[in-house]
């Protein structure tokens, strides 16, 4: 060896490489190392939190099947046709209009949950969008002032105060719900201005328009669920419960 | 001689720095998600992809997703307690078909979409204080008008190779969703669970 000094760094590098080579495979290739049990436990705990009793299973399953067919035969084609005919700008205005009408529900539930800042923001958004936004057709407050709505409802309020889900209920047309969220829906309907209009055709018509309009934005979400799920009934139930729990935490 | 010594020391330092860079280079979990997503998007947008048959498209995306997901952990978490009942070849088989199911669902979701209207905001990455090296990457997916919060849950088993093990869409965990389904199959044999999954994938 001409220059023995070069041996030192080379040796160092070789030792270093060997050392890292010994360490990494033991982490990478051992079957189910202990640290994964932590992950396993975490998901098991999460699963237990999302368990909601389903004593009405046979009724629920029947309604689920009914809704599934309704979606296939009527709602999806209607939403597709609507999306094809109605320009994006109008669809967005329709959505905004309804969002603005739901203001009392959000406002009261923000208050009930003690979120005064959120309630204040709701008031601000409502007045700006109703005036400058043209009866809520535009979302000036969100776009120009970067204000955010906080989508609270009475079911979430009850959840915040530790009212449990009760049991799982599937409603015709409305889809998955729980006893708690059904109570919430009844409470919220008292705060929805269009329910006080003394003309059933307006009330029902507006509900159909609202649901077709919102479905037009997520037409294939339900199909994706059906395509991906091993058991669509359980997948929908679990998805609903998870989503509500996330919203309550927010 | 003096110059030579200096040269040697700097060479030594350089080698050391270089080696440590290779060994410790941290691809951040967020960069990893971003790179994966950009790659998939460019594959989907390419004209050569559009001319392929459905089967070829599935295979191509499957290969890509297999390198960004850790389907072994995905399968383990989805199967829950059933996992222990599976032999190691059954585990592999389940992972294989489960990864195909994820691919098919992913592709059916994206097919026919205007991909130019898709944009992603990479919001934040939160490293979890867990025994294993984990990180949650928060993103906001813009699909034309619709915004969807998507969280990629990642784990790094090897020195810095981040892999996805779960995706939360609007807070809903996909893996937790499957876990709930498989929880009810605690009495069903692994063979039947696998064949059920296989039928679903090949349908």
């Amino acid at each position: 060896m001409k220059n023995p000094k070069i041996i030192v760094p080379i040796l160092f590098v070789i030792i270093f490489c060997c050392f890292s080579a010994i360490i990494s495979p033991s982490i990478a290739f051992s079957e189910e190392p202990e640290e994964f049990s932590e992950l396993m436990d975490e998901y098991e705990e999460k699963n237990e939190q999302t368990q909601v009793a389903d004593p009405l299973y046979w009724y629920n399953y029947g309604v689920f099947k009914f809704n599934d067919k309704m979606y296939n035969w009527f709602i999806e084609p209607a939403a597709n046709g609507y999306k094809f005919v109605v320009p994006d700008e109008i669809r967005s205005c329709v959505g905004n209009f309804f969002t603005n009408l739901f203001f009392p529900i959000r406002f009261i539930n923000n208050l009930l949950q003690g979120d005064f800042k959120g309630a204040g923001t709701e008031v601000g958004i409502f007045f700006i969008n109703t005036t400058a936004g043209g009866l809520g057709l535009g979302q000036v407050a969100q776009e120009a002032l970067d204000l955010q709505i906080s989508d609270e409802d009475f079911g979430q309020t009850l959840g915040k105060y530790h009212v449990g889900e009760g049991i799982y209920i599937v409603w015709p047309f409305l889809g998955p719900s729980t006893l708690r969220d059904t109570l919430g829906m009844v409470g919220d309907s008292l705060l929805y201005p269009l329910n006080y209009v003394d003309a059933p055709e307006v009330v029902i018509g507006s509900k159909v328009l609202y649901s077709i309009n919102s479905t037009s934005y997520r037409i294939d979400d339900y199909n994706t669920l059906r395509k991906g799920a091993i058991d669509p009934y359980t997948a929908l139930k679990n998805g609903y419960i998870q989503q509500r729990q996330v919203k309550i935490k927010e | 001689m003096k110059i030579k010594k200096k040269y040697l020391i700097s060479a030594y330092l350089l080698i050391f720095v270089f080696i440590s860079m290779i060994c410790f280079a941290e691809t951040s979990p967020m960069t990893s998600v971003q790179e994966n997503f950009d790659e998939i998007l460019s594959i989907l947008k390419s004209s050569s992809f559009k001319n392929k048959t459905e089967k070829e498209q599935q295979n191509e995306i499957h290969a890509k997703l297999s390198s960004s997901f850790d389907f072994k952990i995905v399968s383990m978490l989805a199967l829950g307690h059933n996992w222990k009942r599976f032999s190691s070849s059954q585990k592999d088989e389940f992972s294989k078909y489960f990864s195909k199911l994820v691919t098919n669902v992913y592709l059916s979701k994206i097919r026919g979409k205007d991909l130019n209207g898709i944009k992603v905001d990479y919001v934040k990455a939160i490293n979890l204080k867990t025994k294993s090296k984990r990180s949650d990457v928060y993103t906001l997916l813009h699909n034309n008008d619709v915004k969807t919060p998507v969280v990629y849950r990642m784990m790094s088993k090897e020195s810095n190779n981040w892999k996805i093990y779960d995706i939360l869409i609007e807070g809903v965990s996909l893996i937790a969703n499957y876990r709930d389904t498989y929880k009810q199959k605690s009495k069903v044999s692994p063979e039947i669970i696998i064949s059920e999954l296989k039928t679903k994938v090949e349908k």
Side-chain angles (χ1 to χ4, degrees):
Chain A
M1 187 60 69
K2 244 183 188 172
N3 193 341
K5 273 178 188 159
I6 197 111
I7 294 176
V8 180
I10 288 178
L11 235 132
F12 194 86
V13 165
I14 290 174
I15 292 171
F16 187 82
C17 286
C18 289
F19 188 65
S20 14
I22 292 165
I23 287 191
S24 51
S26 70
I27 298 170
F29 300 119
S30 60
E31 182 92 8
E32 297 147 49
E34 207 188 321
E35 62 231 54
F36 297 148
S37 67
E38 183 188 33
L39 196 56
M40 217 37 175
D41 292 346
E42 196 181 301
Y43 273 73
E44 190 51 32
E45 195 183 321
K46 191 182 157 112
N47 181 270
E48 271 152 30
Q49 284 164 4
T50 53
Q51 294 305 312
V52 174
D54 194 1
L56 305 177
Y57 176 78
W58 291 110
Y59 158 81
N60 283 341
Y61 190 79
V63 178
F64 162 76
K65 279 284 169 200
F66 170 79
N67 286 345
D68 191 74
K69 291 281 169 273
M70 284 296 133
Y71 189 82
N72 254 356
W73 293 340
F74 302 110
I75 302 171
E76 190 186 359
N80 266 323
Y82 176 85
K83 190 180 176 185
F84 184 72
V85 174
V86 182
D88 287 357
E89 294 75 20
I90 309 272
R91 281 199 299 146
S92 144
C93 285
V94 171
N96 295 344
F97 179 74
F98 281 108
T99 303
N100 201 45
L101 279 185
F102 290 131
F103 153 75
I105 299 175
R106 291 191 301 267
F107 173 67
I108 296 290
N109 284 296
N110 269 291
L111 282 184
L112 289 175
Q113 293 176 27
D115 186 355
F116 300 109
K117 193 168 169 255
T121 310
E122 284 299 329
V123 174
I125 293 175
F126 178 71
F127 279 105
I128 294 166
N129 288 346
T130 306
T131 53
L135 295 178
L137 295 173
Q139 296 199 321
V140 186
Q142 284 93 320
E143 281 150 21
L145 302 170
D146 206 27
L147 296 174
Q148 295 290 328
I149 60 163
S150 28
D151 198 6
E152 304 297 345
D153 55 50
F154 197 48
Q156 292 179 55
T157 302
L158 292 172
K160 273 254 154 70
Y161 291 104
H162 307 291
V163 176
E165 282 100 347
I167 58 169
Y168 183 60
I169 305 173
V170 185
W171 291 105
F173 299 105
L174 301 175
S177 188
T178 58
L179 186 59
R180 178 192 68 205
D181 291 341
T182 302
L183 272 173
M185 243 171 1
V186 174
D188 289 335
S189 72
L190 299 173
L191 293 169
Y192 183 54
L194 281 187
N195 284 341
Y196 292 95
V197 174
D198 195 16
E201 63 275 16
V202 174
V203 178
I204 294 168
S206 70
K207 287 205 159 96
V208 171
L209 177 62
Y210 170 70
S211 93
I212 298 290
N213 193 72
S214 25
T215 309
S216 75
Y217 283 100
R218 43 184 170 79
I219 291 173
D220 42 34
D221 283 10
Y222 185 63
N223 292 325
T224 306
L225 180 129
R226 249 192 314 210
K227 198 176 169 74
I230 307 293
D231 167 7
Y233 177 84
T234 308
L236 191 63
K237 178 183 177 223
N238 177 273
Y240 176 77
I241 304 291
Q242 276 199 56
Q243 194 171 46
R244 291 298 289 174
Q245 289 184 353
V246 170
K247 281 195 161 184
I248 289 165
K249 268 189 209 140
E250 269 170 7
Chain B
M1 198 57 202
K2 224 176 177 182
I3 295 165
K4 218 172 179 186
K5 199 174 181 183
K6 256 188 182 168
Y7 163 79
L8 243 169
I9 291 173
S10 29
Y12 165 81
L13 273 174
L14 246 156
I15 293 171
F16 184 72
V17 167
F18 186 66
I19 296 288
S20 16
M21 265 167 70
I22 294 171
C23 294
F24 297 113
E26 279 293 314
T27 346
S28 80
M30 195 187 269
T31 323
S32 164
V33 169
Q34 194 163 359
E35 283 170 359
N36 277 318
F37 194 87
D38 291 346
E39 270 178 59
I40 289 179
L41 203 60
S42 70
I43 293 176
L44 293 169
K45 278 181 179 170
S46 70
S47 50
S48 60
F49 184 80
K50 282 170 193 149
N51 295 330
K52 285 181 177 150
T53 65
E54 191 173 340
K55 197 86 214 142
E56 287 170 337
Q57 292 184 338
Q58 282 174 356
N59 290 340
E60 187 168 353
I61 297 299
H62 182 252
K64 184 70 203 91
L65 291 182
S66 300
S67 68
S68 21
F69 278 79
D70 190 324
F71 279 116
K72 191 109 193 230
I73 297 186
V74 165
S75 305
M76 182 180 87
L77 292 176
L79 278 175
H81 291 308
N82 297 302
W83 180 251
K84 290 198 185 82
R85 301 195 288 127
F86 280 54
S87 71
S88 85
S89 67
Q90 284 169 332
K91 284 173 183 167
D92 289 342
E93 211 178 350
F94 181 88
S95 302
K96 183 178 109 190
Y97 288 116
F98 201 77
S99 65
K100 287 190 171 168
L101 180 68
V102 173
T103 309
N104 295 357
V105 172
Y106 183 82
L107 264 175
S108 76
K109 183 103 184 119
I110 234 126
R111 183 165 293 124
K113 282 277 163 60
D114 173 20
L115 296 174
N116 294 317
I118 289 180
K119 200 179 79 95
V120 181
D121 292 339
Y122 294 91
V123 184
K124 60 182 173 185
I126 293 182
N127 296 321
L128 306 185
K129 291 188 183 71
T130 44
K131 279 185 220 158
S132 40
K133 205 167 156 199
R134 285 156 57 192
S135 182
D136 289 344
V137 178
Y138 289 74
T139 69
L140 190 64
L141 177 71
H142 299 254
N143 179 4
N144 299 304
D145 257 2
V146 188
K147 288 178 213 158
T148 315
V150 179
V151 179
Y152 297 88
R153 308 203 73 191
M154 324 217 25
M155 186 188 234
S156 160
K157 276 199 284 186
E158 293 147 63
S159 52
N160 67 78
N161 190 1
W162 289 95
K163 298 256 169 118
I164 302 166
Y165 66 86
D166 194 3
I167 295 185
L168 315 185
I169 298 169
E170 292 185 34
V172 176
S173 151
L174 292 184
I175 300 312
N177 196 281
Y178 282 105
R179 191 188 185 98
D180 204 30
T181 293
Y182 283 118
K183 189 177 196 162
Q184 292 162 17
K185 295 187 188 287
S186 62
K187 301 247 164 17
V188 182
S189 75
E191 289 84 8
I192 292 178
I193 290 180
I194 291 168
S195 75
E196 204 177 38
L197 179 63
K198 197 176 159 191
T199 323
K200 181 96 198 159
V201 171
E202 285 166 358
K203 201 158 66 181

